[in-house]
Amino acid sequence: MPWWRYIGIMHMSANPEHPFHVAVGNNKVLRDDPKERGVDLYEDPQAAGPAHSANGMTACVIGKESLPELEAMVRDKFSAVVDKGLSLPLGDAVSDKPPFLPQDWNRLLLQCPVKDGT
């Protein structure tokens, strides 16, 4: 999808010392990489870290199952994630580092489509 390619370009262009990075996952990000670190996020969503709170998370679930079946799966896997009522930082409170470094300003980044769209 062109949107994800754009997000990937933004991610690669961002300052590595700033937390502005794509926070989505696929099997590699949510299953394989954590397992390499000895973490199983499917069995223990809280293992993502103590600073995580349900009020700062969003889940998008796509599947062939019916809505009630998907909802049951999500409740089973994510009901353990506690809403700690954390205050989510905004603006400068996120980081003292800039999201993009001055040497990366005024660059032309071209995104080539993978295929023709309608």
Side-chain angles (χ1 to χ4, degrees):
M1 294 173 68
W3 172 252
W4 291 115
R5 291 175 61 105
Y6 167 75
I7 292 296
I9 291 169
M10 294 294 289
H11 173 78
M12 290 185 300
S13 302
N15 179 357
E17 294 184 26
H18 188 277
F20 172 78
H21 293 284
V22 180
V24 298
N26 55 23
N27 282 340
K28 180 183 181 323
V29 172
L30 296 173
R31 182 190 62 204
D32 302 340
D33 292 351
K35 279 191 178 178
E36 287 177 15
R37 297 189 312 270
V39 174
D40 188 339
L41 294 177
Y42 286 93
E43 293 302 318
D44 183 11
Q46 296 285 43
H52 290 80
S53 174
N55 70 309
M57 298 179 175
T58 302
C60 175
V61 179
I62 299 172
K64 62 182 178 181
E65 295 81 5
S66 69
L67 184 56
E69 289 173 303
L70 289 171
E71 183 177 350
M73 284 189 264
V74 169
R75 286 187 186 277
D76 178 56
K77 294 298 181 187
F78 292 97
S79 62
V81 179
V82 178
D83 182 349
K84 300 174 186 171
L86 297 180
S87 174
L88 303 177
L90 298 173
D92 291 340
V94 171
S95 174
D96 62 344
K97 308 287 187 222
F100 296 94
L101 299 171
Q103 67 261 26
D104 295 323
W105 298 352
N106 300 318
R107 285 193 317 171
L108 175 63
L109 299 171
L110 301 175
Q111 174 186 337
C112 297
V114 177
K115 63 181 181 179
D116 289 336
T118 55

